[in-house]
Amino acid sequence: MQRTQSTLTVFFEDPFWVGMYERVTEDTLTVCKITFGAEPKDYEVYSFLLENWHLLRFSPPVPYTGQQSAALGYKRMQRFVRRQTNAPYTGTKSQQALKLQHAEVKAAHKAKTRAQRDAERLRQFALKQQKRKDKHKGH
């Protein structure tokens, strides 16, 4: 049976409110960064996730060796949740995954721009060659 764990952390990163959605599946971690404008209410975050789930772009999977927690007691779970809500950090694994996603998008954009530039150069060269032929023919 495959076990999946999801965590959404909303924090203030000047000047916007940002949501960090982490998804852990077995031994991989994928992350998605969601930028909100003003401070979102709980119901706004929930409706955003329901409406835009298919549009979220998750990072490539990163190996994750997090702690496997057994069933926690009620009070221990409350303490754990309280610690999680008071901790204003984003996990370093999450940051690594976001950096990896950013690097991939940047590389793809760079390759696309290079291809467009090369195609434009070839087109200009062909146009110049055609003009030279036309001039040589005496047109």
Side-chain angles (χ1 to χ4, degrees):
M1 180 171 97
Q2 187 176 6
R3 186 175 185 158
T4 303
Q5 178 184 355
S6 300
T7 307
L8 175 66
T9 308
V10 179
F11 56 93
F12 184 71
E13 190 175 272
D14 199 26
F16 302 112
W17 284 86
V18 175
M20 185 76 65
Y21 190 82
E22 300 173 351
R23 191 171 57 183
V24 178
T25 307
E26 293 302 316
D27 57 347
T28 60
L29 168 76
T30 56
V31 182
C32 177
K33 185 176 181 181
I34 306 166
T35 305
F36 300 105
E39 181 176 3
K41 306 265 190 279
D42 290 342
Y43 63 88
E44 292 173 341
V45 172
Y46 183 67
S47 65
F48 177 83
L49 286 176
L50 288 179
E51 293 170 7
N52 300 313
W53 175 257
H54 62 284
L55 298 175
L56 296 180
R57 291 182 9 203
F58 284 92
S59 68
V62 174
Y64 181 74
T65 56
Q67 61 190 23
Q68 296 294 331
S69 60
L72 298 176
Y74 175 71
K75 287 187 178 181
R76 189 175 301 269
M77 180 60 80
Q78 278 187 330
R79 280 189 229 120
F80 177 75
V81 169
R82 192 176 320 117
R83 260 187 256 123
Q84 291 295 320
T85 57
N86 290 338
Y89 78 100
T90 59
T92 55
K93 286 282 188 184
S94 302
Q95 290 171 345
Q96 290 172 358
L98 283 175
K99 288 291 182 190
L100 183 62
Q101 180 186 18
H102 178 70
E104 285 184 355
V105 168
K106 187 176 177 180
H109 179 70
K110 197 172 185 179
K112 178 181 161 189
T113 305
R114 178 177 294 272
Q116 287 176 345
R117 188 171 48 235
D118 289 345
E120 180 62 21
R121 283 184 185 152
L122 285 175
R123 190 185 71 78
Q124 289 287 341
F125 181 73
L127 187 63
K128 194 188 309 181
Q129 292 296 327
Q130 186 62 37
K131 281 184 178 180
R132 287 178 73 194
K133 281 185 181 180
D134 289 347
K135 213 182 250 190
H136 185 71
K137 288 180 182 177
H139 289 320

